[in-house]
Amino acid sequence: MCLKCENISFGYKKNNLILNNVNLSLGSGEVLGLIGDSGSGKSTLCKILAGYENNYQGNVSIDGKAIPSKGYNPVQLVFQHPEKAVNPKWKMKDILNEGHIVPQDILDSFGIKKSWFNRWPNELSGGELQRFALARALSPETKFLIADEITTMVDAITQAQIWNIVLDIVKELNIGVLVVSHEKKLISKLCHDVVYLDDINTV
Amino acid sequence: MSTAVVTVNKGVFRGFNLRQKTLLIIGFTSLLLLAIVISSVEFGDESLHTNFGSKNLNPSPEHPFGTDWMGRDMFIRTLKGLGSSIMIGAFASTISTILAIILGLLSSTGKIADSFIAWLVDLFLSIPHLLLIILISIGFGGGATGVIIGVALTHWTGLTRVVRAEIKQLKTQEYIHISRNLGKSKWWIATKHIFPHLIPQIFLGTILMFPHAILHEASATFLGFGLSPHEPAIGIILSESMKYLSAGYWWLAFFPGLSLLIVVLAFDMIGENLGKLIDPKNAHE
Ligand SMILES: Nc1ncnc2c1ncn2[C@@H]1O[C@H](COP(=O)(O)OP(=O)(O)OP(=O)(O)O)[C@@H](O)[C@H]1O
Ligand SMILES: [Mg+2]
């Protein structure tokens, strides 16, 4: 499988393009790094890939077919701020299982404890919340994971830990990952290949 | 919640005390309003019999609010008037709340529906409120039915705006996008994610509608477009007592007017304190 975006142009305001003619492709099982300056439009591109933003020009497709807007989206996005990715009025166990019942082995590998299940989101740390967000996104139906600076809120050791778990799971499920980060070290450690947004964006 | 309170009540009991005080105020005022409604129903019509032997009496221990020109006890008249005011307020607020929820939800379904509802709100707000109530009341044949429908159909605008804005804001939340990406339907998202956030706002909105509904009913009745003279109503009492003010029978207007003011303020107080309790920022803390 191959996730492709072709000739993507987009701006939040009409005459202020942030992305201009961007092309990118990501294969199953591939781990691709995306680097760019702050404000260059990395998060914006991620939102377009995952179908959060629809008013763009160009195509996003999987194996040449448009991604249906209804039903489970095979392209899942995980963000930098996990506290915004959870409904503050939901208990953690409901948040975790919103998409699919997360199997026990995935909970174990992420180190998600049963005792957290009955807590509210504001009773967990950012790193703990992010594990829930990742476990929720990594269902067997997921084909591509867009990881937009998912570990910027944790220390270097936890960062390595989380990424090891994620890489194990995506390998097993044959998921393609787009790793967005401004840490070149992290990207070079994790990724098979790197693209620079400034190179593929003609703005 | 001033900083003074925070510094005075330090430690573990800080939130508890404030919360307890708020709950106490809410409990006490609710009890007062409930007592008014229950006692107004309990006093039968016979307690308002005319007794020309005790016309126009000054307030006294026997008749705390005095008596009117037909010898009726003004305290009981006021109580019954307030009771019907509160019940009309309750009915009207409930209907207006239901309308607000329906219109608010409808406005989130699409651009056309949204602009239509925004236009409808503006239209209703552009006509003086009391005039609108009177027009609707006359349209529905006047009398008690007319004014109740009039009040019920005109108090939804504020809450509709709140619901509409709240839904708009919620729909931009990342967890809503995620839910959609996890394959959840619009209906599922509306009921599981959006509606639970609206409940406190709706509850509060309904209570804050009460004082407006009560005052508008009383005003319409006072002006002669509402309840009929033989029904117990504060508006009727006040408009009748106007004729007797020049004769020096001040208690006929003073106590009923003051009682109405107290009831209205009581609802406002409940609303304000409930608002503190269910402030989304304090949820789950
Ligand atoms: N919702 C929005 N409305 C208007 N402008 C926006 C919005 N979100 C982002 N922008 C603008 O779009 C540009 C790109 O933002 P984006 O978040 O994609 O950058 P980024 O590459 O992810 O940056 P960072 O590395 O800091 O996360 C920025 O100039 C930003 O100000
Ligand atoms: Mg970003």
Side-chain angles (χ1 to χ4, degrees), chain A residues 10-13 16-19 34-47 53 80-81 148-149 180-182 197:
Chain A
F10 176 82
Y12 289 99
K13 291 189 197 86
N16 180 19
L17 281 185
I18 287 163
L19 301 173
L34 179 66
I35 293 183
D37 295 337
S38 181
S40 60
K42 302 183 296 293
S43 297
T44 306
L45 182 61
C46 291
K47 285 183 182 161
E53 191 60 65
Q80 183 176 4
H81 304 289
D148 186 2
E149 309 201 39
V180 178
S181 176
H182 46 246
L197 188 56

Side-chain angles (χ1 to χ4, degrees), chain A:
Chain A
M1 274 190 171
C2 184
L3 172 67
K4 254 200 178 112
C5 71
E6 292 161 304
N7 310 321
I8 297 286
S9 295
F10 176 82
Y12 289 99
K13 291 189 197 86
K14 274 218 174 90
N15 38 29
N16 180 19
L17 281 185
I18 287 163
L19 301 173
N20 191 6
N21 220 10
V22 171
N23 294 281
L24 193 78
S25 86
L26 176 67
S28 286
E30 188 186 350
V31 180
L32 179 66
L34 179 66
I35 293 183
D37 295 337
S38 181
S40 60
K42 302 183 296 293
S43 297
T44 306
L45 182 61
C46 291
K47 285 183 182 161
I48 289 172
L49 288 173
Y52 287 34
E53 191 60 65
N54 294 310
N55 292 320
Y56 57 86
Q57 284 168 353
N59 277 321
V60 178
S61 60
I62 295 178
D63 292 343
K65 281 182 232 122
I67 301 164
S69 61
K70 284 208 171 99
Y72 194 94
N73 192 337
V75 184
Q76 291 287 323
L77 174 57
V78 176
F79 315 87
Q80 183 176 4
H81 304 289
E83 63 282 356
K84 288 187 193 162
V86 295
N87 185 334
K89 291 197 188 272
W90 280 25
K91 290 238 171 122
M92 289 316 301
K93 61 168 179 292
D94 300 321
I95 292 169
L96 181 71
N97 296 316
E98 184 174 358
H100 70 297
I101 305 293
V102 177
Q104 188 60 44
D105 57 324
I106 294 207
L107 295 182
D108 290 340
S109 46
F110 272 115
I112 293 175
K113 300 197 183 94
K114 273 256 149 58
S115 61
W116 295 345
F117 278 23
N118 278 320
R119 293 202 198 164
W120 302 105
N122 63 0
E123 296 167 339
L124 291 179
S125 75
E128 288 163 352
L129 278 180
Q130 194 64 295
R131 293 161 207 250
F132 278 88
L134 284 164
R136 174 178 63 179
L138 290 168
S139 98
E141 283 180 89
T142 302
K143 304 297 173 216
F144 298 96
L145 176 70
I146 314 294
D148 186 2
E149 309 201 39
I150 59 169
T151 52
T152 33
M153 80 295 283
V154 294
D155 55 272
I157 297 171
T158 318
Q159 187 172 57
Q161 239 177 17
I162 289 181
W163 270 113
N164 279 336
I165 304 159
V166 171
L167 289 184
D168 277 351
I169 297 171
V170 299
K171 200 173 212 177
E172 195 172 321
L173 297 173
N174 198 27
I175 290 173
V177 189
L178 185 68
V179 184
V180 178
S181 176
H182 46 246
E183 289 179 54
K184 296 211 167 101
K185 254 201 214 151
L186 179 76
I187 297 256
S188 64
K189 226 188 281 170
L190 298 173
C191 302
H192 312 147
D193 208 350
V194 187
V195 288
Y196 294 86
L197 188 56
D198 311 308
D199 295 345
I200 55 172
N201 191 1
T202 50
V203 160

Side-chain angles (χ1 to χ4, degrees), chain B residues 109-172:
Chain B
T109 58
K111 279 218 172 80
I112 298 170
D114 189 41
S115 359
F116 172 72
I117 282 156
W119 173 80
L120 204 64
V121 169
D122 287 340
L123 179 73
F124 267 70
L125 288 177
S126 66
I127 307 170
H129 201 149
L130 198 56
L131 183 66
L132 193 61
I133 292 173
I134 291 170
L135 287 178
I136 293 176
S137 172
I138 292 171
F140 279 93
T145 330
V147 77
I148 291 171
I149 294 175
V151 173
L153 290 187
T154 54
H155 283 85
W156 50 269
T157 46
L159 188 57
T160 301
R161 278 190 166 168
V162 170
V163 170
R164 181 168 162 258
E166 190 80 357
I167 292 177
K168 260 205 184 130
Q169 194 266 335
L170 283 169
K171 279 174 90 177
T172 64

Side-chain angles (χ1 to χ4, degrees), chain B residues 97-255:
Chain B
T97 301
I98 293 170
L99 281 175
I101 296 172
I102 293 173
L103 291 174
L105 287 176
L106 214 63
S107 75
S108 74
T109 58
K111 279 218 172 80
I112 298 170
D114 189 41
S115 359
F116 172 72
I117 282 156
W119 173 80
L120 204 64
V121 169
D122 287 340
L123 179 73
F124 267 70
L125 288 177
S126 66
I127 307 170
H129 201 149
L130 198 56
L131 183 66
L132 193 61
I133 292 173
I134 291 170
L135 287 178
I136 293 176
S137 172
I138 292 171
F140 279 93
T145 330
V147 77
I148 291 171
I149 294 175
V151 173
L153 290 187
T154 54
H155 283 85
W156 50 269
T157 46
L159 188 57
T160 301
R161 278 190 166 168
V162 170
V163 170
R164 181 168 162 258
E166 190 80 357
I167 292 177
K168 260 205 184 130
Q169 194 266 335
L170 283 169
K171 279 174 90 177
T172 64
Q173 295 292 316
E174 284 170 0
Y175 58 82
I176 303 276
H177 284 291
I178 290 172
S179 194
R180 213 174 293 146
N181 260 7
L182 293 173
K184 302 301 181 191
S185 68
K186 269 190 174 169
W187 175 246
W188 196 94
I189 291 172
T191 53
K192 298 279 160 86
H193 279 295
I194 295 179
F195 201 62
H197 281 270
L198 298 179
I199 288 174
Q201 302 275 4
I202 289 170
F203 191 58
L204 197 62
T206 310
I207 288 178
L208 289 174
M209 244 184 245
F210 254 85
H212 290 266
I214 288 173
L215 280 180
H216 279 127
E217 178 267 316
S219 316
T221 302
F222 179 82
L223 294 173
F225 296 100
L227 304 186
S228 60
H230 54 80
E231 278 158 318
I234 293 289
I236 295 290
I237 293 174
L238 290 177
S239 71
E240 280 178 352
S241 62
M242 287 301 124
K243 298 178 213 153
Y244 293 86
L245 264 186
S246 53
Y249 304 150
W250 55 273
W251 59 89
L252 291 182
F254 179 74
F255 290 113

